[in-house]
Amino acid sequence: MSITAIASKLFLPRQRALERHYTAGKALQREVLQRLVAKAGNTEYGRQHAFASIRSYEDFVRNVPVNSYEELKGDIDRMRQGEADVLWPGRVKWYAKSSGTTNDKSKFIPVSAEGLQGIHYAGGRDVVAFYLRNNPGSRMFDGKGLILGGSHAPNYNLPGSLVGDLSAILIENINPLVNLVRVPKKETALLSDFEVKRDRIAREAMTKNVTNLSGVPSWMLSVLSRVMELSGKQHLEEVWPNLEVFFHGGVAFTPYRKQYEQLITSPRMHYMETYNASEGFFGIQDDPQDKSMLLMLDYGVFYEFEDMATGDIVPLWDVCTDKNYAMLITTSCGLWRYRIGDTVQFTSLNPYKFIISGRTKYFINAFGEELIQDNAEQGLAYACEQTGAAVSEYTAAPVFMDEKGKCRHQWLIEFAREPQDLQQFASLLDHRLQQLNSDYEAKRYKDITLQQLELVKARPGLFNDWLKSRGKLGGQHKVPRLSNSRETMEQLLKMNA
């Protein structure tokens, strides 16, 4: 019997418990809310907002305001300085460094011991539970997992307190037994210089029996490219013949899928999407035939959803399909009714399944077109399919008015494989966006409000160079996909000259 067959038995109880996600979603969420409020009742925040009097969701809404990072920043900084019982009971030692707000370069998200075990690690275990359920012939534990991580540093020099990428915090605190089935070694995984780390990871991993990959698609692709350079092979399965799955998250997979399928041609290869962020672990692709993800309802996360059209905030049991919602979370890390910045659309309510539609900040609505990231991903996928192209990175922003008084969207795209005709690619993308988004279509009508989009080809490595110039190469850092502002676009165009 294989090691995986033996290990799979350990996941059977959890696989049975996960069935409640399909039958009792509302009850699971009510239980989570009661547990979080009761646990934090004696914190400073709990006393300020009368947690002891909360008996229902309606009480919770009356007592607790909606928060952005700015509202919680002062309390979080006090926690980072070592104060206890502020937003969550006890002292919180770990802080996940995330992309900044309008006022700060970085956000520091608390990661409590309860959150580390009951949200982040719980999500990782459930990903494996679902994968083994769907693939009973798996041999993933008979080899090693290549897991990418970021780096961390001391937090205000407090003993045992760390700040850094969430992935680095997870690696630092992981059960030592897991290190027996993963590569690279811990010291390599936590290096801060991504270019040095990329080479070392590739050299350490290429001689191992790697069966599974975990990480952000863009950074993983960079590491795998280095593996191919060093090995001289054409396809990844020539290096790792037992490779069977890539657990991916952090950014949309659509722009990278073709590149992975060309790199890994094995028909036994699987791809499984997760929705994990610095703030928590929220969703898992439980069905390989369905691109939407199951919302994870029994971790230390209570969800609310803000209708992007009306501003109404509702609990999970009042959501509808096909609406664009901004997600609010209350967690066992001390985030209370916190706007995470992501938008989702539900594809099913029984069970609760969803897709990530974009970011509250990553959209273009300069002319009433309301173009969201999901539109962009689908449009690019269509244009690539029609032309045989492959996109590595992209960003888009409005051109408010040029010297001829014309307005349009400008797309800066770095191709892994360039189309023969860039103008044809631009036309196909523009046409597909009109099909996907009626507001964009209306603004494009007869070129009255918006002209056809403009495509600018980025030089190879432009986006990585831009991230490096901002000290954000590797880890959890992402390129802003869509923006109403031209700030990022202008920085990139200047470097592209």
Side-chain angles (χ1 to χ4, degrees), residues 122-371:
R125 287 190 292 268
D126 282 352
V127 170
V128 176
F130 278 123
Y131 179 72
L132 294 176
R133 183 197 70 178
N134 294 333
N135 300 277
S138 170
R139 301 289 294 268
M140 65 174 289
F141 288 122
D142 291 70
K144 293 184 180 292
L146 171 54
I147 304 174
L148 296 190
S151 61
H152 60 60
N155 169 55
Y156 286 146
N157 294 314
L158 293 178
S161 186
L162 298 173
V163 60
D165 291 329
L166 173 69
S167 54
I169 293 171
L170 296 177
I171 289 172
E172 183 65 46
N173 291 282
I174 204 165
N175 186 315
L177 292 175
V178 177
N179 289 320
L180 299 176
V181 293
R182 64 172 291 275
V183 288
K185 60 186 179 184
K186 185 175 174 181
E187 307 89 82
T188 301
L190 296 177
L191 284 171
S192 58
D193 187 323
F194 181 75
E195 291 172 303
V196 172
K197 176 158 67 177
R198 170 181 179 259
D199 184 69
R200 289 193 187 176
I201 291 173
R203 292 180 186 277
E204 287 181 31
M206 61 187 291
T207 58
K208 303 295 191 297
N209 176 27
V210 172
T211 61
N212 59 99
L213 312 172
S214 299
V216 177
S218 52
W219 303 123
M220 182 63 75
L221 191 61
S222 180
V223 170
L224 298 182
S225 296
R226 183 60 180 150
V227 169
M228 300 309 291
E229 290 170 5
L230 292 170
S231 69
K233 304 295 186 182
Q234 279 194 309
H235 299 111
L236 200 59
E237 61 266 32
E238 296 176 71
V239 182
W240 298 319
N242 297 314
L243 183 65
E244 61 176 84
V245 61
F246 178 24
F247 303 113
H248 59 86
V251 299
F253 191 54
T254 304
Y256 305 99
R257 181 175 289 277
K258 285 289 185 185
Q259 294 175 72
Y260 275 92
E261 290 175 350
Q262 289 171 351
L263 183 63
I264 308 167
T265 59
S266 168
R268 296 183 294 106
M269 187 65 186
H270 300 91
Y271 298 91
M272 191 168 175
E273 185 169 12
T274 65
Y275 179 16
N276 54 324
S278 299
E279 295 86 353
F281 200 118
F282 310 124
I284 299 172
Q285 186 183 7
D286 65 320
D287 180 354
Q289 305 305 317
D290 182 357
K291 75 170 187 175
S292 58
M293 288 179 278
L294 183 72
L295 191 67
M296 303 313 295
L297 304 176
D298 63 351
Y299 301 167
V301 182
F302 178 76
Y303 302 95
E304 295 174 272
F305 300 90
E306 182 177 9
D307 189 323
M308 293 293 284
T310 66
D312 295 334
I313 297 174
V314 297
L316 178 65
W317 51 87
D318 284 340
V319 299
C320 303
T321 56
D322 300 321
K323 279 190 175 183
N324 207 34
Y325 291 104
M327 196 161 79
L328 283 69
I329 56 172
T330 291
T331 78
S332 56
C333 292
L335 300 178
W336 300 98
R337 305 195 76 198
Y338 179 83
R339 281 193 173 98
I340 187 175
D342 290 335
T343 60
V344 300
Q345 292 178 353
F346 283 91
T347 59
S348 165
L349 303 182
N350 188 26
Y352 290 101
K353 300 185 75 169
F354 68 99
I355 60 169
I356 302 170
S357 55
R359 295 279 294 171
T360 54
K361 293 181 181 178
Y362 295 172
F363 63 90
I364 303 179
N365 194 29
F367 312 101
E369 65 274 46
E370 297 188 26
L371 190 76

Side-chain angles (χ1 to χ4, degrees), residues 358-387:
R359 295 279 294 171
T360 54
K361 293 181 181 178
Y362 295 172
F363 63 90
I364 303 179
N365 194 29
F367 312 101
E369 65 274 46
E370 297 188 26
L371 190 76
I372 62 174
Q373 188 171 329
D374 188 56
N375 299 153
E377 304 287 356
Q378 290 191 53
L380 285 169
Y382 174 77
C384 285
E385 182 182 342
Q386 295 298 309
T387 62

Side-chain angles (χ1 to χ4, degrees), residues 16 89 103 240 322 386 440 492:
R16 287 191 286 269
N103 300 321
W240 298 319
D322 300 321
Q386 295 298 309
Y440 183 78
L492 283 159

Side-chain angles (χ1 to χ4, degrees), residues 64-114:
V64 182
V66 171
N67 289 297
S68 66
Y69 184 76
E70 280 75 15
E71 272 86 42
L72 298 179
K73 178 186 172 186
D75 287 335
I76 291 173
D77 197 61
R78 288 167 52 210
M79 293 165 67
R80 289 185 63 204
Q81 299 281 0
E83 288 192 43
D85 303 319
V86 181
L87 293 172
W88 191 252
R91 285 187 173 87
V92 176
K93 297 193 299 181
W94 307 302
Y95 296 86
K97 190 175 180 182
S98 185
S99 56
T101 65
T102 53
N103 300 321
D104 297 283
K105 184 177 180 180
S106 298
K107 295 183 292 188
F108 299 93
I109 305 300
V111 181
S112 67
E114 292 90 341

